[in-house]
Amino acid sequence: MNTMANETPSCVPTPDEDPLELAVERRLNDRRHGEGGSFTIFRVPAHVRDANKELYEPRLVSIGPYYRGRAELRAMEQHKWRYLRHLLRRAATVPLRALVSAVRGVEARARGCYSEAIAGGEDDGFAEMLLLDGCFVLEFFFKWNNQDPDALCDAGWALVLLHSDLLLTENQLPFFVLEALFDAFFGGRIPKGRLVELLLLHLNPNGAVLPHQSPSPCPAPTGPIDHLHLLHLFHQAFVPRPPMVVSSNRASPPPPRVIPCVSKLREAGVRFVKKPSTRGMFDITFYPKRGVMEMPPMAIDQASLPLLVNLIAFEQSRAHRTASDAPLTSYAALMSSLVTTGKDVEELQARGIVDNMLASDDGAAAKFFQSLGACSTLNYDDHLFAPLFADVKQYYDRSWHRHKARFTRDHCSNPWSICAFVLAVLAFFFSLFNQTVSVYNLAHHNKHSTCKCS
């Protein structure tokens, strides 16, 4: 007897069941994107992405599900199949079955890494994407490392765009997918740590994307790290670890959310000095007693902006235990406060702090720093530069500093104004002396006249 025939289908409501209850239950049982307890690859908030789509969306290749199938990226899909064939030819003893088996082993876990539901939950589309994208990334770095001739890698513009696309926060594969495919390709004979070494060697080949990197072309992360994806690996390896921020005192009230821009601080007597620091881009110090802010030099260009804003977006997607966990977010808050106009950029350029490579357009350079702050939300009570914010605001609010700066600017800005000021002072005292002598003589003369009369 077939018991299945006597069971009530789940999609047909019984008299005691409400259709709404069935619909909600169906959605609760929809596990196309896993249980959602370990999201590691997030979407950038729509209002941030829509304002600067070119900074967050891939221009050449889609990695992962978020941009898969876009018309402008379909040309690269053929290259992915070509790269898969090249990868299989690279080690003829590695069957396709081994790579497929590796993907099947991590498919469910990978599905749970994305913060949005993944289309194709009932077929093999997601697994195929993991296989194609993962093998594409591996073969891309194999070719780059071995300097294999390839039409795609040899095109200078393609290499730049590929490198940029692989480090977008929405364009990522879980790192364990790459590890599983790497392990399957080498049959477990090569430690997975070699994959990290290979990727680090080429993720930041010239060290120029972020200022003041370690001189080593392949800095090794300290201790075992569970890398979430390529962008996380880059953040761990190449974003400088912030030093302790020097501050004269920690203000008892909450630190300010913003500080005046460079131009206004200059009017209050703050001097900006280039700091020959080797400790990284976060080594910024303000000395309240002298009114001096020391900053390491920085080069700004359009190529580094997408990477910086995506690193900040990645920091924003994670929980922070300390201010040092999100140093770029703190840096963006500081620089977007300091630089608001082209005049601010001009001042920092004059001090040798900013090297503007945006066609000498100070307005574009100011927009560069404003774009950094557009995607960052910050705990203003506890961030990397909170003590500096408090010290700067306290210095700026003292009117004495503005009066002193105005006096210095008006009378001591060049040798001629100094000479004019000295001459004016001498003339004043000479005039005062003459008047004092005249008054004295007049009083002395009146005294003698009074004595004679008596």
Side-chain angles (χ1 to χ4, degrees):
M1 182 176 179
N2 188 354
T3 57
M4 293 296 294
N6 296 328
E7 293 182 357
T8 303
S10 60
C11 59
V12 179
T14 63
D16 296 333
E17 290 178 318
D18 190 305
L20 176 60
E21 179 185 351
L22 290 175
V24 172
E25 188 173 350
R26 264 196 308 272
R27 294 297 297 270
L28 289 173
N29 292 329
D30 184 359
R31 305 194 178 198
R32 287 180 299 169
H33 62 321
E35 293 297 320
S38 57
F39 293 151
T40 57
I41 302 172
F42 290 82
R43 284 277 201 180
V44 176
H47 71 280
V48 175
R49 188 190 330 111
D50 292 344
N52 295 283
K53 287 187 175 182
E54 70 280 2
L55 300 180
Y56 299 101
E57 298 184 357
R59 292 170 287 177
L60 188 63
V61 61
S62 69
I63 300 295
Y66 290 155
Y67 293 95
R68 191 182 186 210
R70 277 208 173 183
E72 62 271 24
L73 304 176
R74 286 176 188 163
M76 282 301 300
E77 296 303 309
Q78 299 303 316
H79 285 286
K80 290 180 183 179
W81 287 102
R82 182 170 65 88
Y83 271 41
L84 177 58
R85 287 193 293 270
H86 290 182
L87 184 67
L88 291 171
R89 291 174 191 164
R90 191 177 293 276
T93 57
V94 179
L96 175 61
R97 180 178 300 173
L99 300 178
V100 172
S101 178
V103 165
R104 288 297 191 191
V106 296
E107 178 183 1
R109 183 183 170 195
R111 198 181 294 275
C113 290
Y114 294 93
S115 63
E116 291 187 6
I118 305 304
E122 305 301 328
D123 55 33
D124 290 333
F126 183 75
E128 179 184 289
M129 179 208 69
L130 294 179
L131 177 67
L132 277 178
D133 291 358
C135 290
F136 173 81
V137 171
L138 290 181
E139 179 64 12
F140 171 72
F141 283 101
F142 286 159
K143 287 179 181 293
W144 198 352
N145 187 62
N146 297 334
Q147 298 182 344
D148 295 341
D150 185 82
L152 187 61
C153 291
D154 291 343
W157 56 268
L159 194 60
V160 172
L161 290 179
L162 274 173
H163 185 273
S164 177
D165 285 353
L166 291 177
L167 293 174
L168 299 178
T169 189
E170 297 182 340
N171 209 41
Q172 298 296 320
L173 280 184
F175 198 79
F176 58 79
V177 174
L178 298 179
E179 288 182 322
L181 290 169
F182 182 87
D183 197 47
F185 180 79
F186 287 105
R189 297 185 302 274
I190 304 295
K192 294 179 182 178
R194 293 290 297 276
L195 171 62
V196 174
E197 294 176 7
L198 171 69
L199 296 174
L200 289 181
L201 186 62
H202 299 291
L203 275 178
N204 194 26
N206 55 13
V209 178
L210 292 173
H212 299 284
Q213 300 304 327
S214 165
S216 169
C218 184
T222 57
I225 298 176
D226 186 14
H227 302 294
L228 304 178
H229 40 67
L230 288 181
L231 187 62
H232 183 207
L233 175 64
F234 186 99
H235 190 282
Q236 288 290 333
F238 296 109
V239 174
R241 302 276 76 82
M244 292 296 294
V245 178
V246 178
S247 176
S248 61
N249 66 296
R250 183 68 179 261
S252 52
R257 290 178 173 269
V258 293
I259 55 176
C261 65
V262 169
S263 302
K264 290 184 177 180
L265 290 177
R266 286 289 298 142
E267 292 176 359
V270 175
R271 291 189 298 116
F272 291 84
V273 177
K274 178 181 176 181
K275 189 174 191 175
S277 172
T278 59
R279 294 190 295 171
M281 61 194 293
F282 308 121
D283 190 13
I284 301 173
T285 311
F286 179 66
Y287 298 96
K289 293 182 178 179
R290 295 187 287 135
V292 173
M293 184 177 293
E294 293 185 349
M295 306 176 69
M298 64 190 79
I300 56 174
D301 61 84
Q302 200 61 37
S304 62
L305 184 57
L307 176 58
L308 286 170
V309 298
N310 278 274
L311 286 168
I312 294 170
F314 167 68
E315 289 184 351
Q316 295 290 290
S317 70
R318 309 191 70 202
H320 305 133
R321 292 185 298 272
T322 66
S324 299
D325 292 335
L328 281 171
T329 300
S330 298
Y331 181 79
L334 172 64
M335 296 309 300
S336 60
S337 285
L338 287 176
V339 182
T340 59
T341 66
K343 188 177 179 181
D344 300 324
V345 177
E346 183 181 350
E347 177 65 31
L348 293 180
Q349 277 187 284
R351 306 302 167 190
I353 296 172
V354 166
D355 182 11
N356 181 13
M357 294 185 285
L358 298 176
S360 300
D361 186 350
D362 293 339
K367 186 178 179 182
F368 177 97
F369 290 107
Q370 292 303 304
S371 297
L372 291 184
C375 65
S376 62
T377 58
L378 195 63
N379 177 8
Y380 287 93
D381 293 336
D382 181 25
H383 65 93
L384 194 61
F385 297 106
L388 183 145
F389 271 46
D391 288 342
V392 168
K393 190 64 166 60
Q394 188 178 29
Y395 184 95
Y396 180 80
D397 287 342
R398 292 177 180 170
S399 59
W400 157 248
H401 292 134
R402 284 193 292 276
H403 295 319
K404 178 183 175 183
R406 187 180 300 112
F407 176 84
T408 303
R409 186 168 55 251
D410 294 343
H411 303 291
C412 305
S413 57
N414 58 68
W416 295 111
S417 60
I418 293 174
C419 289
F421 174 72
V422 171
L423 290 175
V425 171
L426 291 175
F428 171 77
F429 281 107
F430 182 73
S431 175
L432 181 63
F433 175 77
N434 283 338
Q435 291 187 24
T436 303
V437 170
S438 299
V439 170
Y440 174 80
N441 289 336
L442 180 61
H444 188 70
H445 176 72
N446 290 339
K447 180 179 179 183
H448 280 286
S449 299
T450 304
C451 291
K452 288 179 180 180
C453 293
S454 59

